[in-house]
Amino acid sequence: MIEVERDERTISVENGSYRWGYLLLSYGLLLSTAYRGFVREESSWDLLGLVVAGGVLTTVYQGRRQILSRRWAMASAFGLILALGLGVVLTLLRR
């Protein structure tokens, strides 16, 4: 058996794979939530809560490590405003 040392490249590749896994899981849950809500007209707050909790957890972790930038804050604010606007529009259309 060959022993492989862990270097910066190995850690970077591992982190990249975790990123892709997280994105797949988050967007999969988001699509499942949308499908359950719009097509099957079921409540899907449990799945949406998992998506939001995952985002909050990573944001808190990165914030405590002080790696978030001003650009990140602006993109997050824009995304939040866009999501709220879309939510309002969809709510009004359903009535």
Side-chain angles (χ1 to χ4, degrees):
M1 184 167 140
I2 300 173
E3 187 173 325
V4 177
E5 292 185 33
R6 294 179 50 83
D7 59 0
E8 293 85 14
R9 181 186 173 280
T10 304
I11 294 169
S12 176
V13 170
E14 282 180 351
N15 288 340
S17 70
Y18 297 146
R19 177 183 180 270
W20 283 107
Y22 173 77
L23 287 173
L24 176 69
L25 183 62
S26 293
Y27 283 107
L29 282 172
L30 196 57
L31 288 174
S32 180
T33 300
Y35 177 78
R36 281 174 55 181
F38 292 120
V39 175
R40 298 176 69 182
E41 296 184 3
E42 296 176 354
S43 176
S44 52
W45 293 108
D46 54 343
L47 297 180
L48 190 58
L50 288 172
V51 172
V52 171
V56 168
L57 181 68
T58 56
T59 301
V60 167
Y61 182 84
Q62 291 174 5
R64 292 182 64 83
R65 300 291 190 264
Q66 299 177 348
I67 63 166
L68 301 177
S69 65
R70 179 171 171 80
R71 179 178 175 201
W72 175 89
M74 295 299 289
S76 294
F78 176 74
L80 180 62
I81 291 168
L82 183 65
L84 289 173
L86 183 61
V88 167
V89 168
L90 290 175
T91 300
L92 293 175
L93 288 177
R94 287 191 68 129
R95 290 183 179 194

